[in-house]
Amino acid sequence: MRRTAYKLAGLAFVATGLVGAVLPLLPSTIFFILAAAMFARSSPELEARILAHPVVGPQVIAWRDHGVIPPRAKALALGGMAVGYGVFLATSGAGLVLALIVAGIMIGCAAYVLTRPSRPQA
């Protein structure tokens, strides 16, 4: 039962990652990282397919082994956060308090991304 739940979660993360590969504001790599983690507990074959994938595999392995976010991925993540926050402000009609709360959350996420290593430590 638990393996099935992990496998279904992994498949859902893969589907979301595929959508994120097409939509500019939705990240994709994080969903493949989560999918690999779910498949590690349920389906070694599917985990191996993600790790062997020529596009997402190296990023998933870099995160898993070293906690690395490459500089280009950091720039895209930060740019996506900025654009997302701009869209939020432009379309939500949020008041000052909500806008500051969302900004605080975004800044916290940006700080996390920025403090991850860009390359494996020697």
Side-chain angles (χ1 to χ4, degrees):
M1 177 77 169
R2 190 174 288 191
R3 284 179 54 128
T4 302
Y6 281 127
K7 193 171 190 176
L8 289 173
L11 292 171
F13 285 133
V14 166
T16 307
L18 292 172
V19 171
V22 177
L23 295 178
L25 293 179
L26 181 65
S28 59
T29 303
I30 185 63
F31 293 108
F32 289 108
I33 290 170
L34 291 168
M38 296 296 108
F39 291 147
R41 292 165 177 81
S42 64
S43 176
E45 300 83 19
L46 291 174
E47 177 193 24
R49 286 183 67 180
I50 289 176
L51 298 178
H53 192 277
V55 176
V56 299
Q59 293 177 353
V60 172
I61 293 168
W63 174 258
R64 180 182 279 182
D65 292 349
H66 306 286
V68 167
I69 301 175
R72 182 175 185 274
K74 285 183 183 185
L76 289 172
L78 295 173
M81 286 182 216
V83 168
Y85 186 68
V87 169
F88 164 75
L89 285 179
T91 61
S92 71
L96 179 62
V97 173
L98 181 58
L100 291 174
I101 290 171
V102 172
I105 292 168
M106 292 287 220
I107 289 168
C109 293
Y112 181 80
V113 169
L114 286 171
T115 58
R116 299 306 96 195
S118 294
R119 290 171 178 59
Q121 302 299 319

